[in-house]
Amino acid sequence: MLFDATTKDTFLNIFEGAPERSLKAGDMLVHAGAEAESVYNIVEGTLMVTRIGNDGRRQVMSFLFPDNFIGLTTDRYFFAVQAVTDARVVSRPRAVLESRLEEDAEAGKAFLNMVYRVLENSMDLVYSIGQRTAVERVAVFLLYLRNRQKVVLNVDDDAPVLSRINLPMSRQDIADFLGLKKETVSRSFTQLDERGHISRPDNSHAVIDDLAGLRKLAGIQDFSSPLRPGQSR
Amino acid sequence: MLFDATTKDTFLNIFEGAPERSLKAGDMLVHAGAEAESVYNIVEGTLMVTRIGNDGRRQVMSFLFPDNFIGLTTDRYFFAVQAVTDARVVSRPRAVLESRLEEDAEAGKAFLNMVYRVLENSMDLVYSIGQRTAVERVAVFLLYLRNRQKVVLNVDDDAPVLSRINLPMSRQDIADFLGLKKETVSRSFTQLDERGHISRPDNSHAVIDDLAGLRKLAGIQDFSSPLRPGQSR
DNA sequence: CGAGGTTTTGAGGCGAGTCAAGGCGTGTGG
DNA sequence: CCACACGCCTTGACTCGCCTCAAAACCTCG
């Protein structure tokens, strides 16, 4: 597949001086089924990985942010990657990545670690969609965005900036990510607001007023903690 | 995380002559949160990867079959691995795997390809749980088991053996895998039966009578085909 | 043959989906 | 700069699919 990194990994130096490409919101960077000739790294903006069924049902697999890597697949892309906001990416031929990973064992290790993190994210999503209620899923989603922002800004977990959550994607996008309908996402935001967990200055922002409460709802100690879900039955 | 391979990959030769361990149905091979000292390969039997929330909700992430690899994580296991049936696995210290991947670029490539396949499987599951109805999920599940069996037996897709599906796991396990309740899984089997897609000689077997119909229900041409879901909207 | 567990089936409830209307924000053209 | 139009978001009323709770059927194993 294609997907996201999260930290500055050693292998990312293949993108130094790489050609840049600008995308408008809505533009497709990668089409499902296309040959995976290039790999990308995000410089600015938000993108999303989507998979669309024969009958039109769409699942958003992941949202991607600056410094996230795109290109986790063997020879063909199985999923599409689309710009959510205007964005800039840098690209390199896949072969450049591959020879880098072959030559430098350290880079190979870092790359593998990134793939593991992507796999973790995917499993987090499986757990969310499979086990949590609508409100819980939206709560987890906000914590997920908060954590991404924390990584992008490279700040402490208690940094005040993190309480203001940017929501560049539409309600429909969120719904397709969480396995809900857009109306349900909207109602869930309203509920979190009414319960005092969040407030909503405008449609593309949410402010976390009660982090502990959100985390409790999500059944999570800390989104980036090693034992996220806990292990007792 | 930890997880599964699917074919005989070059890196698997680290398990040649490795010590074997026997498991009884229900035994835990790996505990969530434990240090990942060893990696495993399945010789015989069925296992499953699970994640359990604080409140007891359980998500089965994957079922594992012979020649599937267990050990996709950095330093700690985030998930548990449990035997579904009596099983035998071989194990090696993680360090052995790591040095193998470092020394042999070919093995590293094969390993990475396996991780990609695992990631694909995980995304397939996200799509199923997020977008499909109960009956569709069970239909896809049967095709998924059929495909696994095809790989294990190394036979053609139209091999008659494949029509008889072995279901070593309980209805509860299936439910926790598909994000449903066990009663719903049961009702979905009944529906597939009534519609003439399958028959059920006993509780641990299903026979596919109408492969084309199942595939249509699942919205899939072929489970192992490159463009599984299709790409039009 | 009986006990315990699992699966199936049934009846009823509830959470999320559907369909539809209204509100709000944004951007464009007058 | 305002007015309007359009798209997106929210809210409401109603529906439906899956869940819950419960009982009966079945299977397994002593």
Side-chain angles (χ1 to χ4, degrees):
Chain A
M1 309 334 33
L2 22 134
F3 235 57
D4 61 358
T6 271
T7 43
K8 309 220 180 211
D9 289 306
T10 50
F11 66 88
L12 286 180
N13 56 16
I14 63 166
F15 291 109
E16 277 167 23
E20 197 173 290
R21 182 167 155 194
S22 285
L23 300 167
K24 290 261 156 228
D27 283 358
M28 284 288 178
L29 175 62
V30 163
H31 289 270
E35 277 196 45
E37 291 152 346
S38 303
V39 296
Y40 306 88
N41 202 53
I42 301 176
V43 176
E44 195 184 7
T46 304
L47 288 81
M48 60 182 174
V49 178
T50 63
R51 180 171 152 181
I52 296 175
N54 298 322
D55 52 5
R57 286 180 280 192
R58 186 182 74 156
Q59 176 69 42
V60 174
M61 293 295 170
S62 177
F63 291 103
L64 303 177
F65 302 94
D67 254 320
N68 280 178
F69 174 85
I70 299 168
L72 298 188
T73 188
T74 44
D75 54 340
R76 276 182 180 279
Y77 288 113
F78 284 60
F79 299 91
V81 178
Q82 187 175 18
V84 172
T85 64
D86 291 356
R88 288 183 298 132
V89 301
V90 283
S91 70
R92 282 291 191 206
R94 160 166 307 278
V96 171
L97 171 71
E98 279 178 359
S99 63
R100 178 91 175 80
L101 298 183
E102 242 174 71
E103 286 158 15
D104 180 354
E106 209 48 53
K109 223 170 187 173
F111 189 77
L112 194 52
N113 280 335
M114 179 201 65
V115 185
Y116 286 152
R117 289 198 303 273
V118 170
L119 188 52
E120 269 182 56
N121 283 342
S122 178
M123 293 196 189
D124 281 346
L125 185 57
V126 169
Y127 185 88
S128 270
I129 300 181
Q131 302 301 324
R132 295 196 238 251
T133 65
V135 181
E136 287 170 359
R137 286 182 219 182
V138 173
V140 170
F141 178 66
L142 289 172
L143 293 174
Y144 159 85
L145 287 183
R146 183 178 185 276
N147 195 61
R148 290 295 186 112
Q149 193 62 11
K150 175 179 147 190
V151 172
V152 169
L153 298 179
N154 191 27
V155 297
D156 285 344
D157 185 68
D158 55 1
V161 242
L162 295 182
S163 63
R164 182 180 170 86
I165 307 291
N166 191 18
L167 300 166
M169 66 293 289
S170 72
R171 294 293 186 267
Q172 183 65 63
D173 294 338
I174 299 174
D176 288 347
F177 181 60
L178 298 177
L180 299 169
K181 296 293 159 183
K182 56 185 191 305
E183 295 92 335
T184 305
V185 170
S186 187
R187 281 185 241 272
S188 299
F189 272 115
T190 304
Q191 271 201 52
L192 289 176
D193 194 337
E194 284 169 350
R195 293 189 200 175
H197 293 126
I198 65 169
S199 45
R200 289 170 296 166
D202 63 78
N203 281 337
S204 61
H205 292 276
V207 174
I208 300 182
D209 297 324
D210 175 18
L211 183 58
L214 265 197
R215 282 180 169 157
K216 198 175 168 198
L217 243 180
I220 285 175
Q221 280 296 326
D222 182 293
F223 204 85
S224 55
S225 78
L227 291 181
R228 274 191 298 282
Q231 64 237 60
S232 62
R233 171 82 164 168
Chain B
M1 309 329 35
L2 24 134
F3 236 55
D4 61 358
T6 270
T7 44
K8 307 219 181 211
D9 289 307
T10 51
F11 66 88
L12 286 181
N13 57 15
I14 63 165
F15 290 109
E16 277 168 22
E20 197 173 291
R21 183 169 155 192
S22 285
L23 300 166
K24 290 261 156 227
D27 283 359
M28 283 288 178
L29 174 62
V30 162
H31 290 269
E35 276 196 45
E37 292 152 344
S38 303
V39 296
Y40 306 89
N41 202 53
I42 301 177
V43 176
E44 194 186 7
T46 304
L47 288 81
M48 62 183 172
V49 179
T50 64
R51 178 170 153 182
I52 296 175
N54 298 322
D55 52 6
R57 285 178 281 191
R58 185 182 75 158
Q59 176 69 42
V60 173
M61 293 296 170
S62 178
F63 292 103
L64 304 178
F65 301 94
D67 254 319
N68 281 177
F69 175 85
I70 300 169
L72 298 188
T73 187
T74 45
D75 55 339
R76 279 184 178 278
Y77 288 114
F78 284 61
F79 299 90
V81 178
Q82 188 176 17
V84 172
T85 64
D86 291 355
R88 288 182 298 132
V89 302
V90 283
S91 71
R92 281 294 191 203
R94 161 166 305 279
V96 171
L97 171 71
E98 279 177 359
S99 63
R100 178 88 175 82
L101 298 183
E102 242 172 72
E103 286 158 16
D104 179 354
E106 209 48 52
K109 222 172 190 173
F111 189 78
L112 194 53
N113 279 335
M114 178 200 65
V115 184
Y116 287 152
R117 287 198 304 272
V118 170
L119 187 52
E120 268 182 55
N121 282 342
S122 179
M123 293 195 188
D124 281 345
L125 186 56
V126 169
Y127 185 87
S128 268
I129 300 182
Q131 302 301 324
R132 294 197 238 252
T133 65
V135 181
E136 287 170 359
R137 286 182 220 182
V138 173
V140 170
F141 178 66
L142 289 172
L143 293 174
Y144 158 86
L145 287 183
R146 183 178 187 277
N147 196 60
R148 290 296 184 112
Q149 193 62 11
K150 175 179 147 191
V151 172
V152 169
L153 299 178
N154 191 29
V155 296
D156 285 344
D157 185 66
D158 55 1
V161 242
L162 295 181
S163 63
R164 182 180 170 87
I165 308 289
N166 190 19
L167 300 167
M169 67 293 288
S170 72
R171 295 293 186 267
Q172 182 65 62
D173 294 337
I174 299 173
D176 289 347
F177 180 60
L178 298 177
L180 299 168
K181 297 295 158 183
K182 59 184 187 303
E183 295 92 335
T184 305
V185 171
S186 186
R187 280 185 242 271
S188 300
F189 272 115
T190 304
Q191 272 201 52
L192 289 175
D193 194 338
E194 285 171 349
R195 293 190 201 175
H197 293 125
I198 65 169
S199 44
R200 289 170 295 165
D202 63 79
N203 280 336
S204 61
H205 292 276
V207 174
I208 300 183
D209 297 324
D210 174 18
L211 183 58
L214 265 196
R215 282 180 170 156
K216 197 176 170 197
L217 243 180
I220 284 175
Q221 280 297 326
D222 184 293
F223 203 84
S224 55
S225 78
L227 290 180
R228 271 192 298 286
Q231 64 238 55
S232 63
R233 171 83 165 166

